[in-house]
Amino acid sequence: LQQQAEQTCRQLLRTQEEHEQLLQAAVEQAEGLEQSLRNAEAMLAERAAQLRDAQAQLSRNKLLIEELRGENRRFAMALQAAELKQKSMEEKNQLLEEQASALKQLIGKITPASLSG
């Protein structure tokens, strides 16, 4: 009976050592997982900050694009006004050239008549 009790005691000690080793391995694995989780959280926080920065830049870019579109519309209107003014000036210039040509013809007709007179 004594021998059987000692054998059972040794077996219990071995089982206890195995359990302690398993527990130690589980603790180490849990610590590793906790570290992985902390690393993942840090990476996610960094990525979230990058995304916030990118979103802020995108918002600034959208505002800039709207400003540029407004400026582009103003330039287009100014160009259209300048083109209309240029067309008007060309029409006036054409009229003046026609008047100048008519005056030259008239002078051409008057000059020989006055010389012969």
Side-chain angles (χ1 to χ4, degrees):
L1 191 60
Q2 174 76 22
Q3 198 176 17
Q4 191 178 4
E6 288 175 2
Q7 186 179 3
T8 304
C9 188
R10 283 192 298 272
Q11 191 175 5
L12 282 175
L13 282 174
R14 279 195 302 272
T15 304
Q16 184 178 359
E17 288 174 359
E18 289 173 3
H19 285 170
E20 286 176 0
Q21 289 173 352
L22 288 173
L23 179 61
Q24 181 63 31
V27 166
E28 290 172 3
Q29 184 179 12
E31 288 172 351
L33 291 172
E34 286 177 355
Q35 183 61 42
S36 295
L37 179 61
R38 282 192 295 274
N39 292 341
E41 287 173 343
M43 190 171 58
L44 284 174
E46 182 180 339
R47 185 68 178 133
Q50 290 173 350
L51 288 173
R52 282 191 298 273
D53 291 346
Q55 189 173 10
Q57 183 64 44
L58 182 61
S59 295
R60 287 190 296 271
N61 289 347
K62 284 182 179 179
L63 289 174
L64 183 59
I65 287 170
E66 285 304 313
E67 289 176 13
L68 291 173
R69 283 184 178 156
E71 195 171 318
N72 192 30
R73 283 190 292 272
R74 288 189 296 276
F75 282 140
M77 289 170 52
L79 178 61
Q80 188 177 16
E83 287 173 348
L84 289 174
K85 190 171 186 175
Q86 180 182 357
K87 186 176 179 182
S88 173
M89 294 299 285
E90 287 173 355
E91 289 171 356
K92 287 180 184 178
N93 191 30
Q94 180 66 30
L95 183 61
L96 286 173
E97 286 178 3
E98 290 171 3
Q99 290 174 351
S101 178
L103 281 173
K104 285 180 184 177
Q105 288 177 357
L106 184 60
I107 291 172
K109 290 180 184 177
I110 294 175
T111 304
S114 64
L115 289 177
S116 62

